[in-house]
mmCIF file of all heavy atoms in Angstrom:
data_model
loop_
_atom_site.group_PDB
_atom_site.id
_atom_site.type_symbol
_atom_site.label_atom_id
_atom_site.label_comp_id
_atom_site.label_asym_id
_atom_site.label_seq_id
_atom_site.Cartn_x
_atom_site.Cartn_y
_atom_site.Cartn_z
ATOM 1 N N MET A 162 0.898 -1.219 -0.014
ATOM 2 C CA MET A 162 0.046 0.074 -0.011
ATOM 3 C C MET A 162 0.814 1.204 0.023
ATOM 4 O O MET A 162 1.848 1.321 0.716
ATOM 5 C CB MET A 162 -0.960 -0.096 1.271
ATOM 6 C CG MET A 162 -1.919 1.157 1.244
ATOM 7 S SD MET A 162 -3.236 0.922 2.549
ATOM 8 C CE MET A 162 -4.514 0.366 1.610
ATOM 9 N N ALA A 165 1.540 7.541 -0.439
ATOM 10 C CA ALA A 165 1.277 8.807 -1.103
ATOM 11 C C ALA A 165 -0.097 9.429 -0.714
ATOM 12 O O ALA A 165 -1.101 8.605 -0.531
ATOM 13 C CB ALA A 165 1.259 8.558 -2.631
ATOM 14 N N ILE A 170 -9.876 15.944 -4.444
ATOM 15 C CA ILE A 170 -10.591 16.082 -5.713
ATOM 16 C C ILE A 170 -9.690 15.616 -6.752
ATOM 17 O O ILE A 170 -8.530 16.017 -6.856
ATOM 18 C CB ILE A 170 -10.934 17.582 -5.982
ATOM 19 C CG1 ILE A 170 -11.872 18.092 -4.877
ATOM 20 C CG2 ILE A 170 -11.386 17.802 -7.340
ATOM 21 C CD1 ILE A 170 -12.097 19.553 -5.012
ATOM 22 N N HIS A 175 -13.434 19.016 -11.531
ATOM 23 C CA HIS A 175 -13.777 20.241 -10.825
ATOM 24 C C HIS A 175 -14.673 19.938 -9.703
ATOM 25 O O HIS A 175 -15.127 18.812 -9.478
ATOM 26 C CB HIS A 175 -14.591 21.096 -11.896
ATOM 27 C CG HIS A 175 -13.820 21.355 -13.096
ATOM 28 N ND1 HIS A 175 -12.786 22.324 -13.127
ATOM 29 C CD2 HIS A 175 -13.897 20.973 -14.488
ATOM 30 C CE1 HIS A 175 -12.267 22.388 -14.290
ATOM 31 N NE2 HIS A 175 -12.842 21.614 -15.152
ATOM 32 N N HIS A 180 -23.841 14.650 -13.378
ATOM 33 C CA HIS A 180 -23.938 13.146 -13.412
ATOM 34 C C HIS A 180 -25.323 12.883 -14.025
ATOM 35 O O HIS A 180 -26.289 12.984 -13.283
ATOM 36 C CB HIS A 180 -23.690 12.651 -11.991
ATOM 37 C CG HIS A 180 -23.570 11.180 -11.998
ATOM 38 N ND1 HIS A 180 -23.132 10.555 -10.864
ATOM 39 C CD2 HIS A 180 -23.503 10.189 -12.952
ATOM 40 C CE1 HIS A 180 -22.953 9.217 -11.015
ATOM 41 N NE2 HIS A 180 -23.303 9.021 -12.383
ATOM 42 N N LEU A 181 -25.306 12.595 -15.308
ATOM 43 C CA LEU A 181 -26.639 12.394 -16.008
ATOM 44 C C LEU A 181 -27.080 10.953 -15.926
ATOM 45 O O LEU A 181 -26.420 10.034 -16.051
ATOM 46 C CB LEU A 181 -26.372 12.678 -17.527
ATOM 47 C CG LEU A 181 -25.790 14.148 -17.845
ATOM 48 C CD1 LEU A 181 -25.623 14.322 -19.273
ATOM 49 C CD2 LEU A 181 -26.606 15.227 -17.059
ATOM 50 N N ALA A 186 -27.729 4.758 -21.769
ATOM 51 C CA ALA A 186 -26.540 5.441 -21.495
ATOM 52 C C ALA A 186 -25.493 5.277 -22.531
ATOM 53 O O ALA A 186 -24.778 6.177 -22.972
ATOM 54 C CB ALA A 186 -25.998 5.266 -20.055
ATOM 55 N N ALA A 187 -25.385 3.994 -23.094
ATOM 56 C CA ALA A 187 -24.423 3.809 -24.079
ATOM 57 C C ALA A 187 -24.789 4.546 -25.334
ATOM 58 O O ALA A 187 -23.947 5.115 -26.011
ATOM 59 C CB ALA A 187 -24.412 2.249 -24.484
ATOM 60 N N VAL A 200 -15.254 13.028 -25.462
ATOM 61 C CA VAL A 200 -14.313 11.941 -25.435
ATOM 62 C C VAL A 200 -14.643 10.969 -24.310
ATOM 63 O O VAL A 200 -14.779 11.387 -23.168
ATOM 64 C CB VAL A 200 -12.799 12.441 -25.332
ATOM 65 C CG1 VAL A 200 -11.823 11.439 -25.135
ATOM 66 C CG2 VAL A 200 -12.548 13.494 -26.444
ATOM 67 N N GLY A 207 -22.455 -3.044 -16.165
ATOM 68 C CA GLY A 207 -22.941 -3.895 -15.073
ATOM 69 C C GLY A 207 -23.735 -5.066 -15.618
ATOM 70 O O GLY A 207 -23.702 -5.307 -16.797
ATOM 71 N N GLY A 210 -26.174 -5.606 -19.213
ATOM 72 C CA GLY A 210 -25.628 -4.598 -20.107
ATOM 73 C C GLY A 210 -25.883 -3.063 -19.769
ATOM 74 O O GLY A 210 -25.433 -2.291 -20.448
ATOM 75 N N VAL A 227 -24.933 7.421 -16.141
ATOM 76 C CA VAL A 227 -25.358 6.092 -15.614
ATOM 77 C C VAL A 227 -26.609 5.836 -16.402
ATOM 78 O O VAL A 227 -27.467 6.648 -16.740
ATOM 79 C CB VAL A 227 -25.544 6.184 -14.052
ATOM 80 C CG1 VAL A 227 -26.672 6.969 -13.653
ATOM 81 C CG2 VAL A 227 -25.702 4.812 -13.451
ATOM 82 N N PRO A 231 -34.592 2.321 -12.176
ATOM 83 C CA PRO A 231 -35.776 2.641 -11.259
ATOM 84 C C PRO A 231 -35.822 2.050 -9.924
ATOM 85 O O PRO A 231 -36.274 2.606 -9.003
ATOM 86 C CB PRO A 231 -36.873 2.134 -12.185
ATOM 87 C CG PRO A 231 -36.376 2.083 -13.530
ATOM 88 C CD PRO A 231 -34.871 1.665 -13.433
ATOM 89 N N GLY A 234 -34.159 4.305 -7.824
ATOM 90 C CA GLY A 234 -34.643 5.691 -7.911
ATOM 91 C C GLY A 234 -33.913 6.575 -8.815
ATOM 92 O O GLY A 234 -34.093 7.762 -8.869
ATOM 93 N N PRO A 238 -34.701 12.205 -17.432
ATOM 94 C CA PRO A 238 -35.693 13.218 -17.657
ATOM 95 C C PRO A 238 -36.963 12.847 -18.383
ATOM 96 O O PRO A 238 -38.139 13.265 -18.128
ATOM 97 C CB PRO A 238 -34.959 14.229 -18.488
ATOM 98 C CG PRO A 238 -33.520 13.985 -18.568
ATOM 99 C CD PRO A 238 -33.455 12.531 -17.977
ATOM 100 N N ASP A 256 -22.437 28.527 -33.593
ATOM 101 C CA ASP A 256 -23.240 28.181 -34.863
ATOM 102 C C ASP A 256 -22.853 26.691 -35.259
ATOM 103 O O ASP A 256 -23.775 25.978 -35.522
ATOM 104 C CB ASP A 256 -22.969 29.193 -35.902
ATOM 105 C CG ASP A 256 -23.575 30.540 -35.547
ATOM 106 O OD1 ASP A 256 -24.790 30.647 -35.982
ATOM 107 O OD2 ASP A 256 -22.817 31.398 -35.011
ATOM 108 N N ARG A 261 -24.190 20.952 -35.357
ATOM 109 C CA ARG A 261 -23.673 19.648 -35.134
ATOM 110 C C ARG A 261 -24.643 18.888 -34.187
ATOM 111 O O ARG A 261 -24.961 17.698 -34.394
ATOM 112 C CB ARG A 261 -22.266 19.621 -34.626
ATOM 113 C CG ARG A 261 -21.611 18.229 -34.610
ATOM 114 C CD ARG A 261 -20.063 18.323 -34.262
ATOM 115 N NE ARG A 261 -19.826 19.049 -33.045
ATOM 116 C CZ ARG A 261 -19.243 20.222 -32.895
ATOM 117 N NH1 ARG A 261 -18.784 20.837 -34.004
ATOM 118 N NH2 ARG A 261 -19.020 20.947 -31.691
ATOM 119 N N VAL A 263 -27.873 19.434 -33.563
ATOM 120 C CA VAL A 263 -29.090 19.199 -34.323
ATOM 121 C C VAL A 263 -28.997 18.111 -35.357
ATOM 122 O O VAL A 263 -29.778 17.189 -35.438
ATOM 123 C CB VAL A 263 -29.627 20.557 -34.903
ATOM 124 C CG1 VAL A 263 -30.826 20.199 -35.852
ATOM 125 C CG2 VAL A 263 -29.951 21.565 -33.820
ATOM 126 N N GLY A 266 -29.169 14.826 -33.831
ATOM 127 C CA GLY A 266 -30.468 14.217 -33.400
ATOM 128 C C GLY A 266 -31.067 15.134 -32.320
ATOM 129 O O GLY A 266 -32.264 14.814 -31.704
ATOM 130 N N VAL A 271 -34.658 26.656 -28.242
ATOM 131 C CA VAL A 271 -34.457 28.040 -28.482
ATOM 132 C C VAL A 271 -33.482 28.268 -29.572
ATOM 133 O O VAL A 271 -32.428 27.734 -29.486
ATOM 134 C CB VAL A 271 -33.993 28.716 -27.178
ATOM 135 C CG1 VAL A 271 -33.643 30.190 -27.366
ATOM 136 C CG2 VAL A 271 -34.853 28.588 -26.004
ATOM 137 N N LEU A 273 -30.759 29.569 -32.053
ATOM 138 C CA LEU A 273 -29.515 30.361 -31.751
ATOM 139 C C LEU A 273 -29.573 31.835 -32.164
ATOM 140 O O LEU A 273 -30.177 32.086 -33.195
ATOM 141 C CB LEU A 273 -28.403 29.662 -32.640
ATOM 142 C CG LEU A 273 -26.936 30.052 -32.379
ATOM 143 C CD1 LEU A 273 -26.609 29.584 -30.818
ATOM 144 C CD2 LEU A 273 -26.038 29.318 -33.304
ATOM 145 N N TRP A 278 -27.174 39.606 -23.045
ATOM 146 C CA TRP A 278 -26.069 39.533 -22.045
ATOM 147 C C TRP A 278 -24.694 39.268 -22.647
ATOM 148 O O TRP A 278 -23.762 39.148 -21.914
ATOM 149 C CB TRP A 278 -26.405 38.469 -21.008
ATOM 150 C CG TRP A 278 -26.691 37.055 -21.579
ATOM 151 C CD1 TRP A 278 -25.607 36.175 -21.895
ATOM 152 C CD2 TRP A 278 -27.827 36.389 -21.933
ATOM 153 N NE1 TRP A 278 -26.190 35.008 -22.459
ATOM 154 C CE2 TRP A 278 -27.595 35.108 -22.379
ATOM 155 C CE3 TRP A 278 -29.158 36.755 -21.680
ATOM 156 C CZ2 TRP A 278 -28.497 34.120 -22.775
ATOM 157 C CZ3 TRP A 278 -30.231 35.800 -22.096
ATOM 158 C CH2 TRP A 278 -29.850 34.676 -22.737
ATOM 159 N N ASP A 287 -31.433 16.969 -26.025
ATOM 160 C CA ASP A 287 -30.834 15.730 -26.555
ATOM 161 C C ASP A 287 -31.944 14.572 -26.578
ATOM 162 O O ASP A 287 -32.931 14.811 -26.023
ATOM 163 C CB ASP A 287 -29.512 15.293 -25.945
ATOM 164 C CG ASP A 287 -29.763 14.778 -24.539
ATOM 165 O OD1 ASP A 287 -30.739 14.166 -24.216
ATOM 166 O OD2 ASP A 287 -28.854 15.043 -23.659
ATOM 167 N N HIS A 298 -19.300 33.486 -26.132
ATOM 168 C CA HIS A 298 -19.305 34.848 -25.564
ATOM 169 C C HIS A 298 -18.804 35.763 -26.728
ATOM 170 O O HIS A 298 -17.793 35.508 -27.190
ATOM 171 C CB HIS A 298 -18.468 34.956 -24.280
ATOM 172 C CG HIS A 298 -18.616 36.224 -23.600
ATOM 173 N ND1 HIS A 298 -19.746 36.646 -23.139
ATOM 174 C CD2 HIS A 298 -17.847 37.340 -23.491
ATOM 175 C CE1 HIS A 298 -19.670 37.866 -22.514
ATOM 176 N NE2 HIS A 298 -18.470 38.294 -22.865
ATOM 177 N N MET A 307 -26.662 45.344 -18.991
ATOM 178 C CA MET A 307 -27.492 44.090 -19.003
ATOM 179 C C MET A 307 -28.866 44.407 -18.471
ATOM 180 O O MET A 307 -29.933 43.922 -19.015
ATOM 181 C CB MET A 307 -26.760 42.972 -18.212
ATOM 182 C CG MET A 307 -27.276 41.538 -18.547
ATOM 183 S SD MET A 307 -26.317 40.375 -17.633
ATOM 184 C CE MET A 307 -24.668 40.577 -18.170
#
Side-chain angles (χ1 to χ4, degrees):
M162 184 173 255
I170 298 174
H175 300 287
H180 196 166
L181 305 180
V200 174
V227 66
D256 291 272
R261 189 173 51 251
V263 171
V271 175
L273 193 64
W278 60 82
D287 70 34
H298 189 66
M307 193 181 302

